[in-house]
Amino acid sequence: MKAFAALLERLVFTPARSTKLALLRDWIATQPDPDRGIGLAAITGELSFSTAKAGLIRALAAERTDPVLFAWSYDYVGDLAETVSLIWPARAGVNAAPPSLAAVAEALATAAKADLPGLVAGWLDALDASSRVALLKLITGGLRVGVSARLAKVALAEHFARPVDEIEEAWPAVDPPYLPLFRWLEGAGPQPRAADAPVLRPLMLANPLEEGELAVLDPASYRAEWKWDGIRVQLVATRLGQRIWSRGGEDITRAFPEVAGAMEGLHAVLDGELLVIRNGVVAPFSDLQQRLNRKSVGPKLLRDYPCAVRLYDILFEGEEDLRGLPFDARRARLEAWIDRFRPERMDLSALVPFASWDELSRLRDGAREAAIEGLMLKRADSPYLAGRPKGPWFKWKRDPLTIDAVLMYAQRGHGKRSSFYSDYTFGLWRADGELVPVGKAYFGFTDQELAWLDRWIRNNTVNRFGPVREVEKALVLEIAFDAAQLSTRHKSGVALRFPRISRIRSDKPAAEADALDTLLRLVENRPDRPSGSAVAVREGAWPRRST
Amino acid sequence: MRPHPETWLKVTPGGLWCEPADLFIDPARAVPRAVVTHAHSDHARPGHGAVLATAETLALMTRRLGEGRAGETQQALGYGEPIDVNGVRITLRPAGHVLGSAQVVLEWQGSRAVVSGDYTPRPQATCATFEPVPCDVFVTEATFALPVFRHPPAEGEIARLLHSLYVFPERTHVVGVYALGKCQRVVSLLRASGYDAPIYLHGALPPMTEIYRSFGQDFGDLRPATVANKEALKGAIVLAPPGAIQDRWARRLNDPVVALASGWMRVRQRAKSRGVELPLVISDHADWDELNATIDAVGAPEVWVTHGREEALIHACAQRGVRGRALHLIGRGEEDEATEEAA
Ligand SMILES: [Zn+2]
Ligand SMILES: [Zn+2]
């Protein structure tokens, strides 16, 4: 339990993914079974022990502590589990050995409800303070250390030097504490296999199209599709179940029950874009956002933000692996499959016909539909390959839009950036002369620019609110973004998609920054906006820069 | 009849004043005569006339404040060597807080008050160990006077730091430490745990450390932490003042693990709000249990609380029949509350 507590404590305080991975690798390398697997399952939420309620913890503390001191302490610490852990008084004569993680898990799984208080009190007596926090967070279900199942699998892959896809494939066949999995990874047993399990197959990813690259590509050997602004998903339907996998390998099935429902009875692995689609029209990404990062959804969300998947590839039909077929052949199979089953909540991503790159380029520029990010180019003869092979698939994004906005607030960043003011809120002028915030940007700048901005902010602070500084309304930032959408959640009424700082315009007076009206003209889901009208804005000013 | 200490030891705007001896203890402003418990800035102020303190405290405060600012005249007094000032008997006893830290024992017409300054009863290798002195009034700090503050053994915290070095061998481990006391304590704990690699110090730390050395303490290989030797700092331990660990200075280091050694690190939110990745609960102050055990050990029927969480300690005193009184001294506890912005 002590090692588990130490791991949790490190994970809580570190936002960096690489650090989390190193901590997980150390855990995997040093912990005995079955603690090792139980710990992984607990932090990734695969194993949940929400057996005790806050009330039980509070009652235990009340028996052991002075109520006045407890109240002051709780007030100071601000978290019940932490307060109880820290204040828990040592009991003279208690010398029980601290329980192992496995022992705690085992007991929690079998204990009768009435035995719980005694059990928990006994553990608290035997553990040190940080182990008590871990225990209480574990049994009240409040671990929240930002470790996904995917991250744990990556750590396993790194530690055992195996491809993460193999681990992904084996994962559904094992349960915590994953003993057969560890035996296999340590070379002492076969790879666990759940025949026909709905596992994630490695995805094929596209490269961004670089300037000038088109010139050397033959338009006749490529197919084009719209690139929709949703999230990439893999639908896996087998006799054993249905799963919706995100590109990052997260199982998001439960968040999209209407799509999962439509997969029932099917037997295929499909690649597509998850979108909010109303009457055949794809809604902007901000609508889809309402549905993301939810464990479950209520009827209102299902009604207001109906989701569907626009399919663009088929990897398996039944048990048949189609990944070796060329794109054109898979496409024919996909079209035939859709014709045959006519699945609900799914449609076909249309091909965009074109004869030359010039023609396609014009089509791309003409597309200002909210949910179109650009085009995908796929080689007609390419098989479905894992990873990001160079050549067969390209994404050709629309040029971003830009506005000149005024820096209003700055906040310290996280992790490596925590000593810099690196989160920027910027605003535009309203007709009445007030500056209204329209968005936040966290990146797009170089290290030198960040240092410059940080210094500027420190020298031009007019107000402080906790970690936030309000600055003199004097610095113009050119903000690039992919789309603007109406939003009731922002004071300005507009939300920007993917805003980033493209240039620091220290040359430009703040009064000459853009008006909010300029941005409103770019809004795509504006009810009064005439369709197809091109909007006069500066485009393409965005320098290519890795973010 | 013995006079009650409140008739001869009084709270004034300048601080605690012993009337018959006409001297202040840790005064917050410049006074003609001051007894200084230890050299931390909230206790040792500049500009006094005559200063009485241990030789260690005098040396540390002279280095900190500058030649001539740590009292026009200085008188060193060893632990357990009483002197008489206008009939008041004054003795210094170890407080266990930092090098030279002392409790001031004042005796007047058979009544005894002990002003403990900052203290911890837990033995440390870098200073003399706290001695409880029975008294009529015990004047105590209350920095960590909430039952959530129980400092774990410092050795365990050092082990966590070393384990982190093992898991992240490429990353520079920057540990925030106060220049006086915590710095030398952390180095000494690292050495005691067998860590004998060079330890790198931010430029603000060597002056106090040199004074410790001049009193015979050995810290092994200490080197300046400069940006020029960024490569050498890979996988090394760098100590820096708390204000520097989140600063420009620290971010020039190699993907640093930011640690902070402080009793406040017991509370996660405190650590999180400081952006600390590795909180180390190492304190030079008494924790809740130690405060209460000390009050029991000195057996005083009355306890005066100088600074910190007075209400909780007074509440706990009342429950066992000890009268508690909050002194509300001005300007105390700053060395522990130093914020990022102020440092
Ligand atoms: Zn002090
Ligand atoms: Zn102090």
Side-chain angles (χ1 to χ4, degrees), chain A residues 278-309:
Chain A
R278 291 189 198 92
N279 307 321
V281 179
V282 178
F285 187 79
S286 54
D287 282 25
L288 181 58
Q289 252 171 339
Q290 306 293 326
R291 293 285 305 268
L292 299 178
N293 303 318
R294 289 174 189 273
K295 280 246 167 357
S296 62
V297 283
K300 184 169 170 10
L301 277 174
L302 283 172
R303 190 182 62 237
D304 294 351
Y305 302 98
C307 285
V309 178

PDB file of all heavy atoms in Angstrom, chain A residues 278-309:
ATOM      1  N   ARG A 278     -27.456  16.359 -37.857  1.00  0.00           N
ATOM      2  CA  ARG A 278     -28.894  16.602 -37.753  1.00  0.00           C
ATOM      3  C   ARG A 278     -29.473  16.706 -39.149  1.00  0.00           C
ATOM      4  O   ARG A 278     -29.038  17.557 -39.924  1.00  0.00           O
ATOM      5  CB  ARG A 278     -29.171  17.912 -37.013  1.00  0.00           C
ATOM      6  CG  ARG A 278     -28.821  17.894 -35.549  1.00  0.00           C
ATOM      7  CD  ARG A 278     -29.343  19.152 -34.865  1.00  0.00           C
ATOM      8  NE  ARG A 278     -28.662  19.335 -33.593  1.00  0.00           N
ATOM      9  CZ  ARG A 278     -27.558  20.046 -33.437  1.00  0.00           C
ATOM     10  NH1 ARG A 278     -27.029  20.670 -34.465  1.00  0.00           N
ATOM     11  NH2 ARG A 278     -27.005  20.158 -32.253  1.00  0.00           N
ATOM     12  N   ASN A 279     -30.437  15.869 -39.462  1.00  0.00           N
ATOM     13  CA  ASN A 279     -31.079  15.861 -40.784  1.00  0.00           C
ATOM     14  C   ASN A 279     -30.042  15.849 -41.900  1.00  0.00           C
ATOM     15  O   ASN A 279     -30.146  16.592 -42.868  1.00  0.00           O
ATOM     16  CB  ASN A 279     -31.986  17.075 -40.963  1.00  0.00           C
ATOM     17  CG  ASN A 279     -32.979  17.195 -39.817  1.00  0.00           C
ATOM     18  OD1 ASN A 279     -33.501  16.172 -39.358  1.00  0.00           O
ATOM     19  ND2 ASN A 279     -33.207  18.399 -39.348  1.00  0.00           N
ATOM     20  N   GLY A 280     -29.035  15.064 -41.725  1.00  0.00           N
ATOM     21  CA  GLY A 280     -28.038  14.931 -42.776  1.00  0.00           C
ATOM     22  C   GLY A 280     -26.993  16.028 -42.798  1.00  0.00           C
ATOM     23  O   GLY A 280     -26.072  15.986 -43.589  1.00  0.00           O
ATOM     24  N   VAL A 281     -27.152  17.051 -41.919  1.00  0.00           N
ATOM     25  CA  VAL A 281     -26.183  18.150 -41.914  1.00  0.00           C
ATOM     26  C   VAL A 281     -25.230  17.986 -40.733  1.00  0.00           C
ATOM     27  O   VAL A 281     -25.659  17.797 -39.596  1.00  0.00           O
ATOM     28  CB  VAL A 281     -26.900  19.514 -41.810  1.00  0.00           C
ATOM     29  CG1 VAL A 281     -25.890  20.650 -41.785  1.00  0.00           C
ATOM     30  CG2 VAL A 281     -27.883  19.672 -42.962  1.00  0.00           C
ATOM     31  N   VAL A 282     -23.944  18.068 -41.036  1.00  0.00           N
ATOM     32  CA  VAL A 282     -22.953  17.907 -39.977  1.00  0.00           C
ATOM     33  C   VAL A 282     -22.861  19.198 -39.165  1.00  0.00           C
ATOM     34  O   VAL A 282     -22.669  20.283 -39.719  1.00  0.00           O
ATOM     35  CB  VAL A 282     -21.570  17.562 -40.564  1.00  0.00           C
ATOM     36  CG1 VAL A 282     -20.540  17.450 -39.447  1.00  0.00           C
ATOM     37  CG2 VAL A 282     -21.637  16.268 -41.357  1.00  0.00           C
ATOM     38  N   ALA A 283     -22.991  19.069 -37.845  1.00  0.00           N
ATOM     39  CA  ALA A 283     -22.928  20.236 -36.964  1.00  0.00           C
ATOM     40  C   ALA A 283     -21.479  20.579 -36.660  1.00  0.00           C
ATOM     41  O   ALA A 283     -20.596  19.736 -36.796  1.00  0.00           O
ATOM     42  CB  ALA A 283     -23.678  19.930 -35.675  1.00  0.00           C
ATOM     43  N   PRO A 284     -21.211  21.825 -36.245  1.00  0.00           N
ATOM     44  CA  PRO A 284     -19.830  22.198 -35.916  1.00  0.00           C
ATOM     45  C   PRO A 284     -19.282  21.388 -34.754  1.00  0.00           C
ATOM     46  O   PRO A 284     -20.036  20.817 -33.960  1.00  0.00           O
ATOM     47  CB  PRO A 284     -19.920  23.675 -35.535  1.00  0.00           C
ATOM     48  CG  PRO A 284     -21.310  24.087 -35.747  1.00  0.00           C
ATOM     49  CD  PRO A 284     -22.143  22.915 -36.090  1.00  0.00           C
ATOM     50  N   PHE A 285     -17.976  21.408 -34.635  1.00  0.00           N
ATOM     51  CA  PHE A 285     -17.318  20.610 -33.611  1.00  0.00           C
ATOM     52  C   PHE A 285     -17.788  20.964 -32.213  1.00  0.00           C
ATOM     53  O   PHE A 285     -17.862  20.108 -31.331  1.00  0.00           O
ATOM     54  CB  PHE A 285     -15.799  20.804 -33.717  1.00  0.00           C
ATOM     55  CG  PHE A 285     -15.034  19.893 -32.821  1.00  0.00           C
ATOM     56  CD1 PHE A 285     -14.830  18.567 -33.165  1.00  0.00           C
ATOM     57  CD2 PHE A 285     -14.524  20.351 -31.612  1.00  0.00           C
ATOM     58  CE1 PHE A 285     -14.130  17.713 -32.338  1.00  0.00           C
ATOM     59  CE2 PHE A 285     -13.822  19.500 -30.768  1.00  0.00           C
ATOM     60  CZ  PHE A 285     -13.625  18.176 -31.145  1.00  0.00           C
ATOM     61  N   SER A 286     -18.125  22.245 -32.018  1.00  0.00           N
ATOM     62  CA  SER A 286     -18.559  22.654 -30.674  1.00  0.00           C
ATOM     63  C   SER A 286     -19.781  21.853 -30.227  1.00  0.00           C
ATOM     64  O   SER A 286     -19.980  21.621 -29.036  1.00  0.00           O
ATOM     65  CB  SER A 286     -18.855  24.147 -30.657  1.00  0.00           C
ATOM     66  OG  SER A 286     -19.783  24.459 -31.672  1.00  0.00           O
ATOM     67  N   ASP A 287     -20.610  21.423 -31.171  1.00  0.00           N
ATOM     68  CA  ASP A 287     -21.759  20.588 -30.803  1.00  0.00           C
ATOM     69  C   ASP A 287     -21.292  19.221 -30.327  1.00  0.00           C
ATOM     70  O   ASP A 287     -21.778  18.685 -29.331  1.00  0.00           O
ATOM     71  CB  ASP A 287     -22.697  20.404 -32.003  1.00  0.00           C
ATOM     72  CG  ASP A 287     -23.568  21.639 -32.221  1.00  0.00           C
ATOM     73  OD1 ASP A 287     -23.138  22.724 -31.790  1.00  0.00           O
ATOM     74  OD2 ASP A 287     -24.658  21.510 -32.811  1.00  0.00           O
ATOM     75  N   LEU A 288     -20.336  18.665 -31.050  1.00  0.00           N
ATOM     76  CA  LEU A 288     -19.828  17.343 -30.664  1.00  0.00           C
ATOM     77  C   LEU A 288     -19.169  17.407 -29.285  1.00  0.00           C
ATOM     78  O   LEU A 288     -19.249  16.471 -28.493  1.00  0.00           O
ATOM     79  CB  LEU A 288     -18.824  16.847 -31.709  1.00  0.00           C
ATOM     80  CG  LEU A 288     -18.211  15.462 -31.458  1.00  0.00           C
ATOM     81  CD1 LEU A 288     -19.286  14.396 -31.352  1.00  0.00           C
ATOM     82  CD2 LEU A 288     -17.217  15.102 -32.548  1.00  0.00           C
ATOM     83  N   GLN A 289     -18.563  18.557 -29.013  1.00  0.00           N
ATOM     84  CA  GLN A 289     -17.889  18.715 -27.718  1.00  0.00           C
ATOM     85  C   GLN A 289     -18.830  18.481 -26.544  1.00  0.00           C
ATOM     86  O   GLN A 289     -18.407  18.034 -25.485  1.00  0.00           O
ATOM     87  CB  GLN A 289     -17.296  20.112 -27.617  1.00  0.00           C
ATOM     88  CG  GLN A 289     -15.802  20.065 -27.716  1.00  0.00           C
ATOM     89  CD  GLN A 289     -15.181  21.437 -27.848  1.00  0.00           C
ATOM     90  OE1 GLN A 289     -15.850  22.392 -28.251  1.00  0.00           O
ATOM     91  NE2 GLN A 289     -13.926  21.534 -27.516  1.00  0.00           N
ATOM     92  N   GLN A 290     -20.091  18.794 -26.741  1.00  0.00           N
ATOM     93  CA  GLN A 290     -21.079  18.578 -25.673  1.00  0.00           C
ATOM     94  C   GLN A 290     -21.143  17.097 -25.281  1.00  0.00           C
ATOM     95  O   GLN A 290     -21.576  16.754 -24.207  1.00  0.00           O
ATOM     96  CB  GLN A 290     -22.480  19.023 -26.116  1.00  0.00           C
ATOM     97  CG  GLN A 290     -22.552  20.444 -26.629  1.00  0.00           C
ATOM     98  CD  GLN A 290     -22.279  21.459 -25.536  1.00  0.00           C
ATOM     99  OE1 GLN A 290     -22.639  21.240 -24.387  1.00  0.00           O
ATOM    100  NE2 GLN A 290     -21.626  22.546 -25.884  1.00  0.00           N
ATOM    101  N   ARG A 291     -20.720  16.240 -26.213  1.00  0.00           N
ATOM    102  CA  ARG A 291     -20.867  14.807 -25.975  1.00  0.00           C
ATOM    103  C   ARG A 291     -19.560  14.142 -25.542  1.00  0.00           C
ATOM    104  O   ARG A 291     -19.557  12.968 -25.180  1.00  0.00           O
ATOM    105  CB  ARG A 291     -21.367  14.126 -27.262  1.00  0.00           C
ATOM    106  CG  ARG A 291     -22.778  14.504 -27.677  1.00  0.00           C
ATOM    107  CD  ARG A 291     -23.817  13.830 -26.797  1.00  0.00           C
ATOM    108  NE  ARG A 291     -23.650  12.386 -26.761  1.00  0.00           N
ATOM    109  CZ  ARG A 291     -24.274  11.544 -27.584  1.00  0.00           C
ATOM    110  NH1 ARG A 291     -25.101  12.003 -28.486  1.00  0.00           N
ATOM    111  NH2 ARG A 291     -24.075  10.247 -27.481  1.00  0.00           N
ATOM    112  N   LEU A 292     -18.473  14.904 -25.612  1.00  0.00           N
ATOM    113  CA  LEU A 292     -17.172  14.282 -25.326  1.00  0.00           C
ATOM    114  C   LEU A 292     -16.884  14.259 -23.823  1.00  0.00           C
ATOM    115  O   LEU A 292     -17.470  15.030 -23.060  1.00  0.00           O
ATOM    116  CB  LEU A 292     -16.046  15.019 -26.055  1.00  0.00           C
ATOM    117  CG  LEU A 292     -16.157  15.023 -27.578  1.00  0.00           C
ATOM    118  CD1 LEU A 292     -15.020  15.818 -28.183  1.00  0.00           C
ATOM    119  CD2 LEU A 292     -16.161  13.604 -28.133  1.00  0.00           C
ATOM    120  N   ASN A 293     -15.977  13.401 -23.438  1.00  0.00           N
ATOM    121  CA  ASN A 293     -15.525  13.302 -22.051  1.00  0.00           C
ATOM    122  C   ASN A 293     -16.664  13.077 -21.073  1.00  0.00           C
ATOM    123  O   ASN A 293     -16.685  13.623 -19.987  1.00  0.00           O
ATOM    124  CB  ASN A 293     -14.748  14.555 -21.649  1.00  0.00           C
ATOM    125  CG  ASN A 293     -13.575  14.772 -22.580  1.00  0.00           C
ATOM    126  OD1 ASN A 293     -12.887  13.824 -22.923  1.00  0.00           O
ATOM    127  ND2 ASN A 293     -13.383  16.000 -23.001  1.00  0.00           N
ATOM    128  N   ARG A 294     -17.624  12.295 -21.470  1.00  0.00           N
ATOM    129  CA  ARG A 294     -18.699  11.944 -20.558  1.00  0.00           C
ATOM    130  C   ARG A 294     -18.698  10.440 -20.385  1.00  0.00           C
ATOM    131  O   ARG A 294     -18.503   9.708 -21.338  1.00  0.00           O
ATOM    132  CB  ARG A 294     -20.062  12.373 -21.101  1.00  0.00           C
ATOM    133  CG  ARG A 294     -20.262  13.855 -21.072  1.00  0.00           C
ATOM    134  CD  ARG A 294     -21.571  14.213 -21.747  1.00  0.00           C
ATOM    135  NE  ARG A 294     -21.663  15.659 -21.917  1.00  0.00           N
ATOM    136  CZ  ARG A 294     -22.136  16.467 -20.987  1.00  0.00           C
ATOM    137  NH1 ARG A 294     -22.595  15.991 -19.849  1.00  0.00           N
ATOM    138  NH2 ARG A 294     -22.174  17.774 -21.199  1.00  0.00           N
ATOM    139  N   LYS A 295     -18.958  10.024 -19.164  1.00  0.00           N
ATOM    140  CA  LYS A 295     -19.027   8.592 -18.901  1.00  0.00           C
ATOM    141  C   LYS A 295     -20.370   8.053 -19.392  1.00  0.00           C
ATOM    142  O   LYS A 295     -20.478   6.942 -19.852  1.00  0.00           O
ATOM    143  CB  LYS A 295     -18.833   8.320 -17.404  1.00  0.00           C
ATOM    144  CG  LYS A 295     -17.358   8.344 -16.984  1.00  0.00           C
ATOM    145  CD  LYS A 295     -16.953   6.959 -16.545  1.00  0.00           C
ATOM    146  CE  LYS A 295     -15.477   6.701 -16.376  1.00  0.00           C
ATOM    147  NZ  LYS A 295     -14.487   7.635 -16.661  1.00  0.00           N
ATOM    148  N   SER A 296     -21.402   8.853 -19.242  1.00  0.00           N
ATOM    149  CA  SER A 296     -22.711   8.421 -19.711  1.00  0.00           C
ATOM    150  C   SER A 296     -23.473   9.656 -20.156  1.00  0.00           C
ATOM    151  O   SER A 296     -23.093  10.776 -19.839  1.00  0.00           O
ATOM    152  CB  SER A 296     -23.473   7.721 -18.582  1.00  0.00           C
ATOM    153  OG  SER A 296     -23.671   8.631 -17.532  1.00  0.00           O
ATOM    154  N   VAL A 297     -24.557   9.453 -20.900  1.00  0.00           N
ATOM    155  CA  VAL A 297     -25.308  10.599 -21.414  1.00  0.00           C
ATOM    156  C   VAL A 297     -26.792  10.443 -21.119  1.00  0.00           C
ATOM    157  O   VAL A 297     -27.319   9.339 -21.113  1.00  0.00           O
ATOM    158  CB  VAL A 297     -25.125  10.751 -22.936  1.00  0.00           C
ATOM    159  CG1 VAL A 297     -23.794  11.362 -23.257  1.00  0.00           C
ATOM    160  CG2 VAL A 297     -25.295   9.431 -23.644  1.00  0.00           C
ATOM    161  N   GLY A 298     -27.431  11.561 -20.880  1.00  0.00           N
ATOM    162  CA  GLY A 298     -28.863  11.545 -20.612  1.00  0.00           C
ATOM    163  C   GLY A 298     -29.659  11.724 -21.895  1.00  0.00           C
ATOM    164  O   GLY A 298     -29.087  12.018 -22.951  1.00  0.00           O
ATOM    165  N   PRO A 299     -30.980  11.559 -21.782  1.00  0.00           N
ATOM    166  CA  PRO A 299     -31.835  11.643 -22.979  1.00  0.00           C
ATOM    167  C   PRO A 299     -31.795  13.010 -23.657  1.00  0.00           C
ATOM    168  O   PRO A 299     -31.906  13.104 -24.877  1.00  0.00           O
ATOM    169  CB  PRO A 299     -33.245  11.341 -22.447  1.00  0.00           C
ATOM    170  CG  PRO A 299     -33.153  11.353 -20.959  1.00  0.00           C
ATOM    171  CD  PRO A 299     -31.719  11.203 -20.575  1.00  0.00           C
ATOM    172  N   LYS A 300     -31.597  14.072 -22.878  1.00  0.00           N
ATOM    173  CA  LYS A 300     -31.607  15.414 -23.475  1.00  0.00           C
ATOM    174  C   LYS A 300     -30.418  15.592 -24.429  1.00  0.00           C
ATOM    175  O   LYS A 300     -30.573  16.070 -25.542  1.00  0.00           O
ATOM    176  CB  LYS A 300     -31.570  16.468 -22.373  1.00  0.00           C
ATOM    177  CG  LYS A 300     -31.679  17.889 -22.926  1.00  0.00           C
ATOM    178  CD  LYS A 300     -31.908  18.893 -21.815  1.00  0.00           C
ATOM    179  CE  LYS A 300     -31.804  20.347 -22.236  1.00  0.00           C
ATOM    180  NZ  LYS A 300     -31.726  20.646 -23.650  1.00  0.00           N
ATOM    181  N   LEU A 301     -29.250  15.163 -23.951  1.00  0.00           N
ATOM    182  CA  LEU A 301     -28.062  15.266 -24.803  1.00  0.00           C
ATOM    183  C   LEU A 301     -28.210  14.407 -26.058  1.00  0.00           C
ATOM    184  O   LEU A 301     -27.829  14.812 -27.151  1.00  0.00           O
ATOM    185  CB  LEU A 301     -26.816  14.821 -24.031  1.00  0.00           C
ATOM    186  CG  LEU A 301     -26.168  15.872 -23.135  1.00  0.00           C
ATOM    187  CD1 LEU A 301     -25.040  15.240 -22.339  1.00  0.00           C
ATOM    188  CD2 LEU A 301     -25.620  17.025 -23.969  1.00  0.00           C
ATOM    189  N   LEU A 302     -28.792  13.215 -25.869  1.00  0.00           N
ATOM    190  CA  LEU A 302     -28.970  12.314 -27.007  1.00  0.00           C
ATOM    191  C   LEU A 302     -29.890  12.938 -28.051  1.00  0.00           C
ATOM    192  O   LEU A 302     -29.689  12.779 -29.244  1.00  0.00           O
ATOM    193  CB  LEU A 302     -29.563  10.979 -26.529  1.00  0.00           C
ATOM    194  CG  LEU A 302     -28.579  10.023 -25.847  1.00  0.00           C
ATOM    195  CD1 LEU A 302     -29.313   8.836 -25.255  1.00  0.00           C
ATOM    196  CD2 LEU A 302     -27.538   9.547 -26.853  1.00  0.00           C
ATOM    197  N   ARG A 303     -30.872  13.679 -27.555  1.00  0.00           N
ATOM    198  CA  ARG A 303     -31.831  14.281 -28.469  1.00  0.00           C
ATOM    199  C   ARG A 303     -31.214  15.520 -29.143  1.00  0.00           C
ATOM    200  O   ARG A 303     -31.319  15.713 -30.347  1.00  0.00           O
ATOM    201  CB  ARG A 303     -33.089  14.683 -27.682  1.00  0.00           C
ATOM    202  CG  ARG A 303     -34.263  15.093 -28.565  1.00  0.00           C
ATOM    203  CD  ARG A 303     -35.454  15.527 -27.713  1.00  0.00           C
ATOM    204  NE  ARG A 303     -35.117  16.686 -26.896  1.00  0.00           N
ATOM    205  CZ  ARG A 303     -35.220  16.718 -25.573  1.00  0.00           C
ATOM    206  NH1 ARG A 303     -35.649  15.667 -24.900  1.00  0.00           N
ATOM    207  NH2 ARG A 303     -34.895  17.812 -24.916  1.00  0.00           N
ATOM    208  N   ASP A 304     -30.551  16.353 -28.340  1.00  0.00           N
ATOM    209  CA  ASP A 304     -30.044  17.622 -28.866  1.00  0.00           C
ATOM    210  C   ASP A 304     -28.774  17.469 -29.686  1.00  0.00           C
ATOM    211  O   ASP A 304     -28.499  18.290 -30.550  1.00  0.00           O
ATOM    212  CB  ASP A 304     -29.783  18.602 -27.711  1.00  0.00           C
ATOM    213  CG  ASP A 304     -31.080  19.000 -27.031  1.00  0.00           C
ATOM    214  OD1 ASP A 304     -32.151  18.651 -27.572  1.00  0.00           O
ATOM    215  OD2 ASP A 304     -31.021  19.646 -25.966  1.00  0.00           O
ATOM    216  N   TYR A 305     -27.992  16.469 -29.371  1.00  0.00           N
ATOM    217  CA  TYR A 305     -26.715  16.289 -30.077  1.00  0.00           C
ATOM    218  C   TYR A 305     -26.602  14.865 -30.617  1.00  0.00           C
ATOM    219  O   TYR A 305     -25.794  14.073 -30.143  1.00  0.00           O
ATOM    220  CB  TYR A 305     -25.544  16.618 -29.137  1.00  0.00           C
ATOM    221  CG  TYR A 305     -25.622  18.022 -28.600  1.00  0.00           C
ATOM    222  CD1 TYR A 305     -26.150  18.268 -27.335  1.00  0.00           C
ATOM    223  CD2 TYR A 305     -25.215  19.102 -29.368  1.00  0.00           C
ATOM    224  CE1 TYR A 305     -26.263  19.569 -26.848  1.00  0.00           C
ATOM    225  CE2 TYR A 305     -25.324  20.398 -28.889  1.00  0.00           C
ATOM    226  CZ  TYR A 305     -25.847  20.625 -27.631  1.00  0.00           C
ATOM    227  OH  TYR A 305     -25.957  21.902 -27.164  1.00  0.00           O
ATOM    228  N   PRO A 306     -27.421  14.522 -31.590  1.00  0.00           N
ATOM    229  CA  PRO A 306     -27.435  13.143 -32.093  1.00  0.00           C
ATOM    230  C   PRO A 306     -26.159  12.836 -32.882  1.00  0.00           C
ATOM    231  O   PRO A 306     -25.752  13.612 -33.737  1.00  0.00           O
ATOM    232  CB  PRO A 306     -28.661  13.115 -33.007  1.00  0.00           C
ATOM    233  CG  PRO A 306     -28.824  14.537 -33.456  1.00  0.00           C
ATOM    234  CD  PRO A 306     -28.358  15.403 -32.319  1.00  0.00           C
ATOM    235  N   CYS A 307     -25.546  11.720 -32.558  1.00  0.00           N
ATOM    236  CA  CYS A 307     -24.275  11.388 -33.192  1.00  0.00           C
ATOM    237  C   CYS A 307     -24.422  10.292 -34.234  1.00  0.00           C
ATOM    238  O   CYS A 307     -25.320   9.449 -34.156  1.00  0.00           O
ATOM    239  CB  CYS A 307     -23.262  10.943 -32.140  1.00  0.00           C
ATOM    240  SG  CYS A 307     -22.643  12.336 -31.218  1.00  0.00           S
ATOM    241  N   ALA A 308     -23.552  10.337 -35.197  1.00  0.00           N
ATOM    242  CA  ALA A 308     -23.489   9.306 -36.227  1.00  0.00           C
ATOM    243  C   ALA A 308     -22.040   9.220 -36.697  1.00  0.00           C
ATOM    244  O   ALA A 308     -21.228  10.078 -36.359  1.00  0.00           O
ATOM    245  CB  ALA A 308     -24.399   9.655 -37.391  1.00  0.00           C
ATOM    246  N   VAL A 309     -21.753   8.160 -37.456  1.00  0.00           N
ATOM    247  CA  VAL A 309     -20.386   7.981 -37.928  1.00  0.00           C
ATOM    248  C   VAL A 309     -20.370   7.999 -39.453  1.00  0.00           C
ATOM    249  O   VAL A 309     -21.151   7.319 -40.101  1.00  0.00           O
ATOM    250  CB  VAL A 309     -19.788   6.661 -37.403  1.00  0.00           C
ATOM    251  CG1 VAL A 309     -18.390   6.464 -37.952  1.00  0.00           C
ATOM    252  CG2 VAL A 309     -19.765   6.669 -35.880  1.00  0.00           C
TER     253      VAL A 309
END
